[in-house]
Every structure is written in C-alpha cells, then in structure tokens.
Amino acid sequence: MKTLVLCFSLFFTVMLPAQAAVMLIYHHVATDTPRVTSVTPAELRQHLQHLKDNQFQVIGLDTLIAQLKQGKAVADNAVVITFDDSYANNFTTAHPILQEFGYPYTIFISPGSIDKGDGPLLSWQQVKQMSDDGVLVANHAMWHEHMAQPDAGESKSQWLERMRQSILSAEDKIEHYTGQRHQWLAYPYGEYSAALEQLVEELGFIGIGQQSGAIGSTTVLTRIPRYPAAGVYADIKSLAQKLRTLPFQITHYHGADPVITANPPTLSLTLKANDFVRSQLQCFAGSEVLTPEWLDDDTFTVTASKALGKGRARYNCTAPSLSKKGYFYWYSQPWLNPR
C-alpha cells in the first residue's frame, strides 16, 4: 500500500505543470488609430469581462516580479496588463475602463518622447494622475529608440554607454514626476540582444519583451514575454487560448541571441519535457511548420528552411499539456536580422 501511495505521489510530482502567469500588451485603445496596434474600447471591455467571468487573477506587475525574484510560486491563472508607448488614449479611454473593473496595470513610457510631444502622447500631468490613481509607471527607454545593436558607425562601447544613459535618464525622469522607480525596462519594438540583456542585468533592471509566451519560475528576467492583444490578436477566441498557456521549463538556452549571425538561425533549447509528449512539440516560422530534432531527452533544435527577411521575425514552439486539459506550453523566440 505504501508503495502504491508513493508511486501515485511521484506521478503527480512529475506530471504537475508549473503554475503560470500571462502578461498582455496593449498600445492604443481607440477607433481611429492604426488597427495593428489598437483595440477598440468595446474590445478592451470584452477582454476584461472575459478575465472576470473566467476567474483569472489580474495582478500588478510588481506582484509578479516579486514572485519571480523571490522564487515564489507564480499565482495560477494570473494575468498582468500592460500598455506601451505613452499614448494619451491610455488615460482618456483605457484608464476609466480599467478603473471600473478595479484591475491593476502598468504603463511603459518614454519620457523624452513625452517632453518633445512626439504624437498624441500623454502629458506629464496625465501620467501623474494615473500614478496617483495607482497605475504603475515604468521605463520604455528615453526616446523609444531601437536598442538591440549599435547604430551605423557607432562602436559597441559607445552604443552601450548610450543605452545606459537612455535607461537611467528615463528612470530618473519617471521618478521625478511620479515618485515611482521600479527598474523595469520594456524594450521598444520588443527588440533586444544578448549584449543588451547583459547591460540590463548589470544595471539591476528587469527586461520585458514583446515575444509571446507564458511566465513561470524558469523565465529569464531579462526577456520576460508578453502576448499582444491588439489588431488581429484582439479576437477573444484567440486571446482565450493564449490565456490558457504554460511556460516551458527551460534550463538552458543555446544560440538564442535575437540578433542573428547566421540566416536562417537555429534555435536550441534544453528543457524539462515532463508534462508533454516530445513528438507533439511543434515549432513554426511564420506559416512553416518546423519539426524539432531531439539531440537527447531534453534538448532540441529547429531551423527554418528559408532565410529570414530583414527586420523582426519569430519562431514559436508549442506542445499540449498532458495534465492540464486545454492548456498549451508556449515559447516564442524573437529574431532580429540587421542585414
């Protein structure tokens, strides 16, 4: 009997998936802005109502970061809401709706862009009002610049110093106007590199991307993923599935620097494959299905058949969970082809 109980216990120890959080990224909440980065007010309400009706735990980014840094279990079915790019409609339209639901959220702003008035952006008075209302205000670099690599003619040391100043100056400005200093950096355009991650870590910051995926105890804190919830991704059926995703328990990244040196790039990951069938893991490069090559029980590689175009691209890898019906493990690898 003791043996049976032990086996039963071990089975559930092996099969139990890691608890997971999902972070959503929004930009515009409006009907007259570019669709690719927008949700309508009605769509935002629909998303928030779905979270409420399905008992998701909407938590602040501060709560999630504290859990990750302290090695605590992430709240199950937790959702974090974020907005990028400092748009004024975050205050005029999104903020009242989120207040109605009582949900915490974070805005990532670029102070230099606000100072210059680059577009229909928040004013510092609006930022201060949101902060006073409990909104978390965090860093989106000083000028919303491309941060992943040096500009033409710029040395690596010059670039790193420029990035250091952008990050720290933005943090100082946010603290000046709001009193908040979280040291969270959302990479503009979701672009980052291994060298930028190293700088972010050296500065004591958390790095947050725009690649898809769920968040758990093994998530690297310089490349935290977020799911887009605007444009084609605003569809509630699509969003509902992404809210039911889990993080792969990745123990080692191989060749996962987003700035590619070989084209097409090869992704290689070592992970704990204890809650999915290896043969059911699939990866995708756009519409191309990539069949993983397993090098051993825990490490696989995938490579697209065609070279990536200039700019941003991704490989997405998914596998259905064995123990949590309707849930999928999900990992997205961003690539940046500078050529």
Side-chain angles (χ1 to χ4, degrees), residues 76-145:
D76 199 24
N77 282 336
V79 176
V80 174
I81 298 170
T82 67
F83 290 80
D84 280 12
D85 292 1
S86 323
Y87 291 120
N89 55 50
N90 293 177
F91 175 77
T92 59
T93 307
H95 185 55
I97 296 172
L98 282 148
Q99 284 186 307
E100 286 179 30
F101 282 84
Y103 286 158
Y105 71 99
T106 298
I107 55 170
F108 288 102
I109 65 171
S110 298
S113 298
I114 291 176
D115 287 341
K116 278 186 66 179
D118 287 341
L121 302 185
L122 293 161
S123 67
W124 282 114
Q125 291 81 4
Q126 291 171 326
V127 172
K128 179 63 165 60
Q129 183 61 61
M130 295 170 85
S131 176
D132 290 346
D133 289 343
V135 177
L136 300 174
V137 183
N139 195 325
H140 203 34
M142 192 65 175
W143 303 102
H144 197 265
E145 57 264 56

Side-chain angles (χ1 to χ4, degrees), residues 149-213:
Q149 58 190 334
D151 286 343
E154 186 177 35
S155 70
K156 183 177 180 181
S157 60
Q158 290 171 332
W159 162 66
L160 286 173
E161 180 57 29
R162 182 166 60 86
M163 292 302 96
R164 180 188 300 272
Q165 291 303 317
S166 174
I167 295 167
L168 295 179
S169 296
E171 198 73 14
D172 288 344
K173 199 102 177 187
I174 291 168
E175 184 176 30
H176 172 75
Y177 279 102
T178 70
Q180 299 191 42
R181 191 180 187 91
H182 301 291
Q183 298 191 182
W184 310 329
L185 172 67
Y187 303 116
Y189 311 100
E191 296 176 358
Y192 62 93
S193 59
L196 182 60
E197 285 185 273
Q198 183 176 349
L199 174 63
V200 166
E201 185 174 16
E202 288 173 358
L203 293 175
F205 275 65
I206 300 295
I208 299 169
Q210 293 184 21
Q211 75 278 12
S212 302

